[in-house]
Amino acid sequence: MSQYIVYTDLDGTLLDINTYSFDLAKEAVSMLNANHIPLIFCSTKTFAEQIYYQHELGVSAPFIVENGSAIFIPQNYFPFPYHFDSQVENYEVIELGKPVSLIRKAIRDINRNLGMRLRGFNDMPMDELERLLGLDKEKINNALAKSYTKTLLNSLSEKEVLKIKEELLKNGLTVTKGSKFYSVMSVDTDKGKAVKILNELFAKKYKQFISVGIGDGLNDLPMLKVVDRAFLVQRHKDFWENLNYDNIEKIEAVSSQGFSKVIRLLLAQ
Ligand code: MG
């Protein structure tokens, strides 16, 4: 069997889009672990959130946080030296994003100058967040611990998005749509750039491997474009996000069920 490296989105892919449950993906993840196939989370979620899911699923590979803003690599994971920017707990961190303080300031400026009311998680009372996200306080705090991105809760028209993009660009920032919410982040950062860097490191570890990407939304497109095999799971029954990209294998199942289907397909080949 070929050596696979699997990159996966979390929300709406490995995790159920509404409940964030990974129950239906558990078996597939165990199959990857048993076959020593690295499973790399590549998600908008934060370090604190991804650590939680890694622990719950018994995954110990590198992971990509906040939409490609930083790569966390467990110490001694790669048996050779490489460049990293900082160290957090037992991880070596390659940073690609811009600090969240700069993003907060840019959003304040947009609200003031364009008379908009862009709101992030931090601008909302905890009880309202609990209702909106259906998560407990601890999980919400993990979601709030963003270092490189800010989530917007607004529903925005295409015109508003363009206007915001134009303003953000003045600070080297942009806005991108995930499964549910918009994220503001560095314009130089996306999931694809981070995947490319990790792939270069894996290329030193394995002589030959096939990189696989699994996603459900627009912010997964840069990741899906840089892998050998790109899979798109359904957003909801019989509906795939339109990514305008031909080199993609559409899976006829939603979220975690779609994720599991991809893993079974790979392992059967
Ligand atoms: Mg998603």
Side-chain angles (χ1 to χ4, degrees):
M1 197 178 72
S2 317
Q3 173 67 52
Y4 288 110
I5 312 284
V6 178
Y7 294 93
T8 186
D9 170 50
L10 292 176
D11 296 353
T13 303
L14 193 148
L15 304 176
D16 182 274
I17 192 157
N18 295 313
T19 63
Y20 301 101
S21 161
F22 47 78
D23 285 349
L24 296 173
K26 248 177 160 168
E27 205 183 309
V29 174
S30 305
M31 285 158 71
L32 289 175
N33 288 343
N35 284 282
H36 306 288
I37 297 172
L39 177 62
I40 318 286
F41 296 168
C42 183
S43 153
T44 307
K45 288 198 175 312
T46 63
F47 169 74
E49 291 176 292
Q50 296 203 28
I51 286 288
Y52 167 81
Y53 289 108
Q54 273 209 331
H55 181 76
E56 291 294 310
L57 288 161
V59 171
S60 55
F63 54 97
I64 297 165
V65 307
E66 298 187 49
N67 232 359
S69 297
I71 306 166
F72 284 77
I73 302 169
Q75 268 170 355
N76 305 318
Y77 185 84
F78 291 114
F80 48 79
Y82 55 89
H83 165 83
F84 58 90
D85 301 290
S86 60
Q87 232 164 318
V88 174
E89 296 175 23
N90 296 324
Y91 296 91
E92 290 164 348
V93 190
I94 300 175
E95 293 183 289
L96 303 153
K98 287 200 160 77
V100 71
S101 52
L102 185 106
I103 297 169
R104 285 206 191 101
K105 185 182 175 301
I107 292 174
R108 277 200 303 273
D109 288 351
I110 289 176
N111 282 344
R112 197 175 46 231
N113 300 339
L114 301 182
M116 297 192 79
R117 299 186 69 182
L118 299 178
R119 293 212 304 167
F121 283 146
N122 309 66
D123 308 314
M124 202 180 239
M126 186 54 98
D127 54 336
E128 230 178 286
L129 274 177
E130 282 179 273
R131 266 202 306 277
L132 179 77
L133 301 172
L135 296 173
D136 59 37
K137 277 196 183 68
E138 192 191 337
K139 288 220 178 76
I140 290 173
N141 279 325
N142 287 345
L144 290 177
K146 291 196 191 298
S147 303
Y148 314 95
T149 50
K150 198 169 154 71
T151 306
L152 297 180
L153 299 166
N154 306 68
S155 42
L156 298 165
S157 70
E158 238 168 87
K159 216 172 137 193
E160 284 171 319
V161 172
L162 283 177
K163 192 89 201 125
I164 294 165
K165 264 193 179 163
E166 199 182 304
E167 284 299 305
L168 288 172
L169 201 56
K170 294 174 187 166
N171 291 300
L173 301 171
T174 191
V175 62
T176 173
K177 180 113 168 52
S179 301
K180 274 190 186 170
F181 304 114
Y182 289 92
S183 293
V184 179
M185 55 191 284
S186 162
V187 73
D188 299 318
T189 315
D190 62 47
K191 291 185 177 189
K193 289 190 175 113
V195 167
K196 256 182 136 168
I197 291 172
L198 256 184
N199 261 345
E200 281 165 21
L201 293 173
F202 275 114
K204 282 194 191 179
K205 183 171 175 165
Y206 302 111
K207 273 208 188 86
Q208 268 195 326
F209 66 88
I210 297 169
S211 60
V212 174
I214 316 172
D216 76 314
L218 259 185
N219 64 341
D220 296 316
L221 185 57
M223 165 180 80
L224 296 174
K225 279 186 170 171
V226 298
V227 291
D228 299 315
R229 289 188 72 179
F231 294 93
L232 187 68
V233 301
Q234 289 176 340
R235 172 61 55 81
H236 47 80
K237 198 171 168 355
D238 299 328
F239 174 83
W240 288 273
E241 186 81 60
N242 181 14
L243 299 191
N244 262 327
Y245 180 55
D246 291 333
N247 197 12
I248 219 164
E249 297 174 61
K250 286 184 173 175
I251 295 295
E252 282 197 27
V254 181
S255 301
S256 4
Q257 277 166 302
F259 169 85
S260 302
K261 221 170 166 173
V262 174
I263 303 307
R264 288 207 174 82
L265 195 112
L266 294 174
L267 293 176
Q269 281 168 359

